[in-house]
Amino acid sequence: MDLSMRWLADYVDCDMPIKEFVSGITMSGSKVECYGEEGDYLENVVVGQVKEIVPHPNSDHMFITQVDVGESELVQIVTGAQNVKKDDFVPVAKHKSTVLHEGKTVKITKGKLRGEASNGMLCSVAELGLTTHDFPYAIDDGIFILGDDCDRTVGKDIREAIGFNDTKVEFEITSNRPDCMSVIGLARETAATFGKELKVKKPEFKGVEGDIDQLLKVKIHNTDLCKRYIGAIVKNVKIEPSPRWLRERLRACGVRPINNFVDITNFVMLEYGRPMHAFDLRYVEGAEINVRNARAGETITTLDGVVRELSEEMLVIADAKKPVAVAGVMGGEYSGIMEDTTTVVFESACFDGASVRTTAKKLGMRTDASARYEKGLDPHECYEALMRACQLVEELGAGEVVKNVVDENYQSEEPSSVEFSAEWINNFLGTDIPEEDMIKTLESLEFKVENGRAIAPWFRIDIEYKADVAEEIARIYGYNNIPDTIIRGVAQAQRTPKQNFEKLIKNAMTSMGVNEIETFSFISPKYFDKIALSESSKLRNTVTIMNPLGEDTSVMRTTILPSVLEVVARNYSYRNPECYVFELGNEYIPVEGEVLPEEPVRLGIGFYDTADKVDFYTLKGMIEGLMRAAGAEDVEYERAAADCGFDEASAFHPGRSAVVKVGGETVGIFGELHPKVLENYGIEVRAYAAKINIPELMALTSQVKTYKPLPKFPATTRDLSVVCDEEVPAAVLERIIKKSVGGILESVTLFDVYRGEQIAAGKKSVSYSISMRSLEGTLTDEQADKAMEKVLKELSAIGAELRA
């Protein structure tokens, strides 16, 4: 909603600085997006009077003018315009001025045209940023000759002279406050916010005698979708441009002036927030207005010239034979006001907001009227809006209004009210506002307080509960004036175990020098190809967004890995020498037969370093640190096979990737990215990534720390070197050692892997340091030797023999 401050001043004193106004009105609930002055791009453009004009000696279509701009000497300006004559008042862009040309600001400086000095430029309406709709007597292809509706004081700033200096304020009006999509609505808010008097007069008109029932018949056939329809007749219509003051207000609010009748309907819509329509009576067959549902197969050509097919749930305004308007959206082609119109039907109605929204969306239309109706309007103000339109017709001398109106009214006359309790409101807000002040505040917003109830005005459709009344008091009282209080009656807030675990994971990653990122949950289907995901992968079964912003955000991700890699790739493309990132986010896995998907939390890690300071073991070290921080025990690492349980395995190098298991359950995959994947992302160095299933990891860990006393007895250490096949993982050997030693095992540490001349081809030597300790007493050599014998026996079962 664009608001003209000049128009607002008609109803409430708002002479405070504009910054004070926008700050105050925002804090009271009417959010200001931005503000600015009309024509602020114009500089050094003034009113001038042509004192002399002669043909250019070196051109057959140019003229040399001498122009008075309020300075000591006349200014010589060369022009090619054919409509300028002596004594005309014109806009003059002087030397070092700024005007508009084809939507862009341009500097005007003195120079020569065909050998003659030209010290500025005479301006057209377009060069001022205006059109002939703003000044109908102007011409498109000539200089703007100022009429007597402008201030023609020579030397005066052109913006002030033609009324092009209004301050415009853009508001973001929430959907629950359709009353604020009007000048009067914002005037009410201004008056209440700054303690000013609201000066809105009840509209009245004299009218002429006539029996409207003989001129127009109105029938509402669907009273659920239309609660009220009022029609008025204007005879002996005179179609002509609106006066300048009316055109100025429309322009400042972003509406183009057309003619007096169209402008009146737009003016009332902006002033009262009530959309109106004007019909040419000669195109209303049978002089009947029928508010009904469209019939199957009906079509209508709307004012924009488009033929639109209607469906039966759409509400239309029809005459005796055909639809003449789509209710609440747009009129029909022949319903508009034309130059030869003589009799006009004014319509002021209230249509169901949901119906208007559905109709507008199906027809692919969005108008100022539909934007207001769809938020919900109350039928009671239809009458005042119509009276204001009739008043303007008389004020502008645009026609003769028949005194009586047709009013089909099915609205409820029971006002909305809620319980009013000053004590409850103060407890709710944590304030100590006197009841008298509360009542005064509500009355400034046109509420009434009677018999312990707050009665809302008709235009406040959002008042349903006691909290709504408390909000009205709080916003006018001032949120900044409400003291800080501790929440009462609620136990101290605590994180859930899930939140604590996720925070622990984030802290662990951050402590290892990895930066947290947050990416969109919706991605492009092409992301799956970039990580070389199999065409048959279940991860390609996604939740598709019905109204995506574009193809790149059209599905919900089923794997977090591509999101992380996009960030890694972007950093590489920006030539950052290194990038270490992680994200803790959701995946969205469709569930057959269910509307909503599962949303498991996943940890994604990605990094590269152009200095070649990282490798697979850097990432493995991070995973080990993460497992320690998470409290995971019995952690194992195995080479990632195609059937490891992660479809993302295709994204990793087959020989440099692994899965991590906790208690035998696979919870993650990590490793170096496949060269093809690196190529897909445009990364020309080795990069590494990981994905960890957080809920599964949490279920297998414990944050309970168990106290263990310091050992009372010494440990016994044995070193063991065995020769085994090259393919046997060291982790398998370690697992066998742990199982064989049993309860006396304290630790087992790999300290050497040897391949060389002393070892047969296809074999390797693996050496471990094994520490054993008993809690019951000092271990004897016999106990230690017996444990080692069992280890060697179990290792021999997989072909691992003691190295000679």
Side-chain angles (χ1 to χ4, degrees):
M1 170 72 188
D2 289 339
L3 175 67
S4 158
M5 292 299 292
R6 188 173 293 160
W7 195 350
L8 181 68
D10 292 343
Y11 310 116
V12 62
D13 293 331
C14 51
D15 53 356
M16 70 284 294
I18 186 63
K19 288 187 177 180
E20 181 181 332
F21 171 77
V22 298
S23 175
I25 202 74
T26 296
M27 289 305 296
S28 67
S30 303
K31 181 185 176 186
V32 173
E33 288 289 302
C34 59
Y35 66 90
E37 281 195 10
E38 290 182 304
D40 56 2
Y41 45 81
L42 296 175
E43 293 181 15
N44 207 20
V45 183
V46 300
V47 175
Q49 186 177 27
V50 178
K51 292 297 186 179
E52 183 181 333
I53 180 168
V54 297
H56 194 296
N58 302 318
S59 172
D60 58 359
H61 68 279
M62 289 186 176
F63 301 90
I64 300 175
T65 64
Q66 303 296 326
V67 185
D68 181 4
V69 293
E71 298 177 354
S72 57
E73 296 182 356
L74 299 180
V75 177
Q76 178 170 302
I77 295 176
V78 177
T79 181
Q82 305 296 309
N83 68 318
V84 180
K85 61 183 183 299
K86 184 181 177 182
D87 296 329
D88 280 344
F89 291 90
V90 295
V92 180
K94 299 194 293 185
H95 175 54
K96 293 184 178 180
S97 61
T98 304
V99 296
L100 207 62
H101 179 67
E102 295 181 352
K104 298 180 180 179
T105 55
V106 293
K107 287 283 187 181
I108 302 299
T109 56
K110 61 184 179 182
K112 287 189 176 183
L113 288 174
R114 298 285 181 93
E116 296 293 331
S118 183
N119 300 311
M121 181 179 76
L122 307 185
C123 300
S124 66
V125 286
E127 285 154 345
L128 300 179
L130 300 170
T131 70
T132 53
H133 290 284
D134 299 297
F135 290 92
Y137 55 80
I139 59 175
D140 287 319
D141 57 351
I143 300 303
F144 178 24
I145 310 301
L146 303 184
D148 55 11
D149 61 344
C150 300
D151 184 343
R152 298 190 289 195
T153 303
V154 172
K156 195 177 193 67
D157 183 275
I158 193 64
R159 293 171 56 219
E160 185 179 351
I162 65 175
F164 192 40
N165 60 342
D166 198 352
T167 299
K168 300 189 299 182
V169 181
E170 181 183 343
F171 287 86
E172 179 187 342
I173 305 300
T174 55
S175 59
N176 67 318
R177 292 299 306 275
D179 58 295
C180 287
M181 292 189 70
S182 65
V183 179
I184 290 178
L186 290 171
R188 290 191 193 103
E189 292 296 307
T190 302
T193 300
F194 297 99
K196 303 286 187 176
E197 179 188 358
L198 183 64
K199 299 176 290 186
V200 178
K201 296 180 180 180
K202 184 178 180 180
E204 296 177 347
F205 70 97
K206 295 179 180 179
V208 298
E209 296 297 333
D211 187 356
I212 196 169
D213 292 329
Q214 298 298 318
L215 300 172
L216 181 69
K217 299 186 185 304
V218 174
K219 176 65 177 176
I220 300 176
H221 297 269
N222 188 335
T223 57
D224 290 330
L225 300 185
C226 180
K227 293 294 184 184
R228 193 174 190 181
Y229 191 103
I230 313 179
I233 296 290
V234 182
K235 301 187 297 184
N236 299 323
V237 166
K238 299 175 185 177
I239 305 299
E240 57 189 11
S242 300
R244 196 189 98 179
W245 66 266
L246 196 152
R247 299 195 307 267
E248 282 181 7
R249 280 155 173 72
L250 293 180
R251 181 186 65 229
C253 291
V255 176
R256 184 183 66 177
I258 304 294
N259 59 50
N260 51 0
F261 268 86
V262 176
D263 293 350
I264 285 171
T265 60
N266 286 330
F267 186 92
V268 173
M269 178 183 70
L270 294 170
E271 187 177 42
Y272 280 85
R274 307 297 309 202
M276 291 188 61
H277 194 70
F279 296 99
D280 189 329
L281 184 60
R282 61 184 164 170
Y283 295 113
V284 181
E285 293 195 43
E288 291 183 22
I289 293 291
N290 293 287
V291 185
R292 61 170 174 82
N293 288 78
R295 300 188 180 106
E298 277 190 320
T299 61
I300 185 173
T301 302
T302 46
L303 282 171
D304 54 5
V306 178
V307 178
R308 303 181 188 275
E309 184 175 349
L310 305 172
S311 54
E312 294 181 20
E313 75 277 5
M314 297 179 182
L315 195 70
V316 297
I317 310 301
D319 58 23
K321 294 183 178 180
K322 65 185 184 304
V324 294
V326 181
V329 182
M330 185 180 286
E333 182 178 24
Y334 295 106
S335 70
I337 305 302
M338 304 178 187
E339 291 184 1
D340 59 346
T341 297
T342 58
T343 306
V344 166
V345 179
F346 267 142
E347 164 200 292
S348 181
C350 189
F351 306 111
D352 179 71
S355 173
V356 172
R357 168 66 175 166
T358 302
T359 298
K361 190 172 183 180
K362 285 188 176 181
L363 295 178
M365 306 169 70
R366 183 71 186 270
T367 62
D368 286 338
S370 68
R372 284 168 168 79
Y373 275 123
E374 68 187 29
K375 290 177 173 61
L377 296 176
D378 185 84
H380 287 82
E381 287 194 309
C382 292
Y383 184 80
E384 285 193 358
L386 186 65
M387 293 302 101
R388 177 59 166 155
C390 295
Q391 181 187 50
L392 287 170
V393 169
E394 287 192 342
E395 286 183 3
L396 302 185
E400 298 175 347
V401 185
V402 176
K403 280 186 177 181
N404 300 323
V405 298
V406 178
D407 188 356
E408 282 280 292
N409 188 359
Y410 297 91
Q411 67 188 349
S412 169
E413 297 300 332
E414 183 68 28
S416 174
S417 67
V418 297
E419 179 186 347
F420 174 77
S421 168
E423 181 181 0
W424 185 91
I425 291 172
N426 276 324
N427 287 335
F428 182 70
L429 298 177
T431 56
D432 189 22
I433 305 172
E435 181 176 345
E436 306 81 60
D437 291 350
M438 291 185 184
I439 294 175
K440 185 178 179 181
T441 296
L442 291 174
E443 288 176 345
S444 72
L445 295 167
E446 300 190 26
F447 285 72
K448 293 180 181 178
V449 178
E450 297 176 355
N451 302 320
R453 299 192 68 82
I455 303 171
W458 293 114
F459 52 82
R460 290 303 302 274
I461 64 170
D462 58 315
I463 304 300
E464 298 182 30
Y465 308 104
K466 290 190 293 184
D468 296 328
V469 175
E471 180 188 5
E472 296 302 299
I473 292 169
R475 67 188 184 88
I476 301 301
Y477 177 72
Y479 294 119
N480 291 336
N481 297 323
I482 297 176
D484 297 334
T485 56
I486 299 174
I487 297 176
R488 298 185 295 271
V490 179
Q492 185 176 358
Q494 294 182 344
R495 295 189 184 93
T496 64
K498 176 178 178 291
Q499 291 171 327
N500 281 327
F501 190 76
E502 290 177 0
K503 182 181 180 184
L504 182 149
I505 296 297
K506 290 182 179 181
N507 289 343
M509 294 307 304
T510 305
S511 68
M512 290 186 281
V514 189
N515 301 301
E516 184 178 5
I517 60 172
E518 188 171 346
T519 62
F520 287 127
S521 297
F522 29 87
I523 63 172
S524 167
K526 296 177 182 178
Y527 279 20
F528 299 132
D529 296 327
K530 295 181 79 170
I531 63 169
L533 199 64
S534 168
E535 290 293 334
S536 61
S537 172
K538 62 181 182 297
L539 297 181
R540 288 184 180 269
N541 177 28
T542 61
V543 175
T544 303
I545 300 173
M546 293 178 64
N547 56 340
L549 299 175
E551 184 185 1
D552 289 344
T553 54
S554 60
V555 300
M556 302 300 290
R557 67 185 178 200
T558 52
T559 170
I560 200 171
L561 195 60
S563 299
V564 174
L565 295 183
E566 285 291 326
V567 176
V568 172
R570 190 177 304 117
N571 276 270
Y572 183 80
S573 69
Y574 292 163
R575 299 185 180 180
N576 289 331
E578 61 183 40
C579 172
Y580 295 82
V581 296
F582 79 91
E583 178 177 10
L584 199 65
N586 295 92
E587 295 177 344
Y588 300 85
I589 312 300
V591 180
E592 187 175 352
E594 298 289 338
V595 176
L596 298 176
E598 290 184 353
E599 301 181 21
V601 179
R602 302 295 185 234
L603 172 67
I605 305 172
F607 64 86
Y608 71 84
D609 194 320
T610 56
D612 201 24
K613 297 188 295 185
V614 295
D615 57 18
F616 170 82
Y617 294 103
T618 305
L619 179 55
K620 184 173 183 286
M622 286 184 183
I623 302 300
E624 289 174 339
L626 180 67
M627 293 299 117
R628 284 193 300 270
E633 298 180 357
D634 192 15
V635 182
E636 299 175 351
Y637 301 91
E638 293 182 1
R639 178 175 294 182
D643 59 352
C644 65
F646 286 89
D647 287 16
E648 297 94 336
S650 58
F652 294 95
H653 192 295
R656 300 169 189 164
S657 59
V659 294
V660 55
K661 293 185 174 183
V662 177
E665 297 290 333
T666 303
V667 297
I669 185 170
F670 64 94
E672 182 180 324
L673 292 174
H674 196 286
K676 181 63 177 176
V677 173
L678 292 174
E679 181 182 339
N680 291 341
Y681 281 99
I683 302 174
E684 297 176 353
V685 296
R686 290 183 176 181
Y688 304 85
K691 172 183 168 180
I692 307 295
N693 297 342
I694 297 303
E696 291 84 343
L697 176 61
M698 179 180 173
L700 295 168
T701 60
S702 173
Q703 296 306 303
V704 178
K705 304 298 182 182
T706 304
Y707 168 73
K708 293 182 179 180
L710 293 174
K712 297 179 180 180
F713 306 103
T716 298
T717 303
R718 295 283 191 274
D719 289 343
L720 176 67
S721 295
V722 295
V723 177
C724 63
D725 291 338
E726 182 68 52
E727 291 76 15
V728 177
V732 172
L733 301 176
E734 184 176 322
R735 188 160 56 243
I736 291 174
I737 293 172
K738 289 180 177 179
K739 183 178 179 180
S740 301
V741 175
I744 63 173
L745 179 69
E746 185 172 64
S747 66
V748 55
T749 306
L750 174 69
F751 67 85
D752 183 57
V753 178
Y754 174 75
R755 302 173 183 85
E757 297 178 356
Q758 300 179 27
I759 303 298
K763 300 284 186 177
K764 63 181 177 181
S765 171
V766 185
S767 301
Y768 291 93
S769 176
I770 303 170
S771 177
M772 296 170 282
R773 190 192 306 267
S774 172
L775 299 179
E776 299 174 354
T778 301
L779 284 177
T780 63
D781 289 342
E782 180 181 355
Q783 289 175 305
D785 292 341
K786 186 176 181 180
M788 296 304 297
E789 288 175 4
K790 187 174 181 182
V791 169
L792 291 172
K793 180 180 179 181
E794 295 295 331
L795 289 174
S796 65
I798 63 168
E801 300 294 340
L802 185 66
R803 180 178 175 183

